[in-house]
Amino acid sequence: MSDPPGPDAPAPVASLIDVSLRYGKVVALDDITLDIPAGRMVGLLGPDGVGKSSLLALLAGARAVQQGRVQALAGDMGSRRHRRRVCPHIAYMPQGLGRNLYPTLSVEENLQFFGRLFGHQAAERRRRIDELTRDTGLTPFLARPAGKLSGGMKQKLALCCALIHDPDLLILDEPTTGVDPLARAQFWDLIARIRTGRPGMSVIVATAYMDEAQGFDWLVAMNAGRVLATGTPAELLARTGTDSLDAAFIALLPEALQRGHRAVSIPPLVAGDQTEIAIAAKDLTKRFGDFTAVDHVNLAIRQGEIFGFIGSNGSNGCGKSTTMKMLTGLLPASEGSASLFGAPVDPKDIATRRRVGYMSQSFSLYSELTVRQNLVLHARLFQLPPATIPARVAEMIRRFGLEASVDALPDRLPLGIRQRLSLAVAMVHRPELLILDEPTSGVDPIARDSLWQLMIDLARNDQVTIFISTHFMNEAGRCDRIALMHAGRVLVTGVPAELVSQRGVDALEQAFIGYLKDAGASGAATSEDAVQAPPPVVEPAAPPKRRFPFSLGRAWSYSLRETLELQRDPMRATMALLGTAILMFVFGYGISLDVENLSYAVLDRDQTGLSRNYALNLAGSRYFIEHAPITDDADLDRRMRAGELALAIEIPQGFARDLARGHQVQIGAWVDGAMPVRAETVRGYVLGMHQGWLQDQATHRLGQDAAAGPATIATRFRYNPDVRSLPAMVPAVIPMLLLMIPAMLTALSVVREKELGSIINLYVTPVTRSEFLLGKQLPYVVLAMLNFALMTLLAVTVFGVPVKGSLLALTAGALLFVIFSTGFGLFASTFTRSQIAAMFVAMIGTIIPAVQFAGMLNPVSSLEGVGYLIGQVYPATYFLTISRGVFNKGLDFVGLEPAFWPLALAVPVILGLSILLLKKQET
């Protein structure tokens, strides 16, 4: 519970009353009551997993309230009406480097997109974009894609996007995590200047950097979903009797968590004890295409030394992780060389690899194995003698404090214990070198100190060389030596205290900033101008205009953005433009119901003129191709087993004699029945030709007219006189492809936003569900109609299937149908969370009903039960009727009117369901 504000404190900008939040069985927030003062910079302090992000998401309206009451800007955030009213006054920047940005869009295009979402006209967008990019130093990079910006520049752009609409409440979720010190300093300078121009604006920040929190007006310390304490930094320090916020946070933790904690003790490294070089790198370089991740790095690390790799992380970071992977043989170097213990790095050199332990930046152990099982597995992987494994595992469990969790699964452990397990696994085979990539990221201060003490003990007591990367400057100060790295290059190497002294500054972070400026780091050249620039002049907000339920501008903003992303994604663009054409060739030629060119042979036991005449009756047909005669029964059996023959005709001995005497004669027709449909067709062909031969014999040999009689049947086929597959298949394939491909692409477009995190822009901007979905849908409707035109052209020119009816009717039906098919993709995206799941649902939900129940192969009228019901309600049935009616029967609007009404009805139904099911908040 928060402390009550003083009598002079401003009214709270936000309040939480008895708020609890759960993710399944995990408690994120536990009965929190908190008043956050207005007009201040408020910081939420705590490591990962304590509930900071969940609390901010509730305040921003991005997450639904489960229990309790959340108020922001004088209203209940559980009320949809209030959220819609205050949304233009709240700016939310989620956790992660540029998570609310679109990587393929340029800086300019991202800002234009957000400007349209908040209803700014072109001139106003231009003014705001110019002002924000000038103040942040982003003006020279307006044309650069967001995905190619450094971490600091991404955060600046994300902040610009959040500030495009002059919010009253700015919510920042760990905005500087992983950003280099220079970019962090510039970021907070920018926030300070913005607050100067907007003194009434409230800012709420979640951070894991205690040095940042020292500059905030008011702090909220959190742990395990609860509030530990609130107050100014000075008040928290006075309350705990400590001299740093790190120490104050530890002092505020419950007694049970503090038990056993001790300050980190670092015995000095005795120079000259170890002279062997554990790691050496000479001009080590790694390129990914045109991007140089590591640029001619030179290192020499002594055995038993704690060597720190310091720099930013994230996309386009400094290259720490890439360098570490090259030093362990996980990545080949593009240039230069590296050695471990004097031997060149070789992934195949198992003996050298056994001397190295590696702990990756992200948790990489087996979540389905317990703590003990993970340790045993890695001991076996490093081929420890089986007899020694139990004792070694027991030693690791004891040494790293894992006794209470030995039979637990890693996913159920706190982050700090998981990191201790990763360290124990890296040490299980007694390596001489330990490479640790960001081992304390997101870990609470007590767990961080515990991990550091373990590493220091390993280095000093066991002479293990520790090569550690971090972006925490206070951790860097614990290393024997550090290398400051930026943009793939090592700026300087030395003892932390000496580097600080050389720069003539008070702290290592200030020294790092100085080296970054000397190196011409991104933004350094413009930072001074930005800091000295006058604060932005904020004009009074215009009175709110009457808002309509649907904004064409916001919907168009999503349509334009989706179009740009498609243009810059070659794989999706190719699939969208050519996918249907490619599949049309596959289905048009690959799926054929024609039974032609069947191989057959004759076993003629009679060898008379009449038997040869019978055999020639088949040879003249376009359905059959004659092969060499069959010699005997064994030859017949062998050739049919081998698939050489689809039909074998056996003419018995005495065929001509018995027929001349008027005796009944049986001719054997052996059909390959492995494919039943083809076999039935072959049987029909054989019977028809047999009857034709009998009529011919009756007419020419006996002088009888077998067809004479009171009535005869003359069979004629309309619309497809030759009864060929292509005129039937092509009009059926077009609806199937217009259903499957657009549905799949549209579903992926929405679910992709969920995976990347940019769906947060739907939650926290004024855009409505209908604007979002219809805006996303429009480009795919246009693409689907282009595909329809292409497939119609292919049908006429390549497949030779002419359009006999009204092309306008066919186009109108196609338009209604593709609106439905893209709407089905939107519907599938509302309840799927991964692109694989969305693709699976879209494909299964379109192909199976279209093929099985829509009349593509069998008429709907021949179906029964549920299949008949699906065929009656599924829109593909009616567009298939339109397609076949126009291509084969020459119909127009009048003849096809009954098929248009169900299609027209399906469009609002599927779109309405999609809008209804899409959530405007994370639940």
Side-chain angles (χ1 to χ4, degrees), residues 312-377:
S312 59
N313 60 7
S315 177
N316 290 340
C318 66
K320 302 189 308 292
S321 297
T322 304
T323 302
M324 288 183 159
K325 289 178 180 178
M326 286 193 289
L327 292 174
T328 55
L330 297 177
L331 271 179
S334 304
E335 186 180 332
S337 61
S339 63
L340 295 175
F341 304 105
V345 172
D346 182 1
K348 299 178 181 179
D349 184 359
I350 301 301
T352 303
R353 292 287 295 274
R354 285 178 187 163
R355 301 175 70 180
V356 179
Y358 177 67
M359 179 177 166
S360 64
Q361 184 172 352
S362 58
F363 185 76
S364 58
L365 302 183
Y366 296 94
S367 58
E368 64 273 17
L369 300 182
T370 66
V371 168
R372 185 191 303 275
Q373 290 168 340
N374 268 288
L375 287 166
V376 170
L377 172 64

Side-chain angles (χ1 to χ4, degrees), residues 502-520:
Q502 290 171 8
R503 298 297 306 192
V505 293
D506 298 326
L508 183 59
E509 181 161 332
Q510 296 171 352
F512 195 1
I513 291 175
Y515 285 113
L516 285 171
K517 289 182 177 180
D518 291 346

Side-chain angles (χ1 to χ4, degrees), residues 9 29 100 127 155 158 315 332 523 536 538 562 647 789:
L29 298 175
N100 61 331
R127 182 187 71 80
Q155 295 303 78
S315 177
V538 181
E562 194 69 31
L647 170 68

Side-chain angles (χ1 to χ4, degrees), residues 91 128 132 158-167 170 191 194 201:
R128 290 172 179 264
L132 288 167
L159 181 63
C160 290
C161 293
L163 295 173
I164 196 78
H165 61 291
D166 294 332
L170 176 61
I191 294 293
I194 291 170
M201 183 175 70

Side-chain angles (χ1 to χ4, degrees), residues 61 74 109 158 215 249 291 325 414 515 536 547 844:
E109 290 162 348
F249 186 87
F291 175 64
K325 289 178 180 178
Y515 285 113
R547 287 192 174 90
I844 296 300

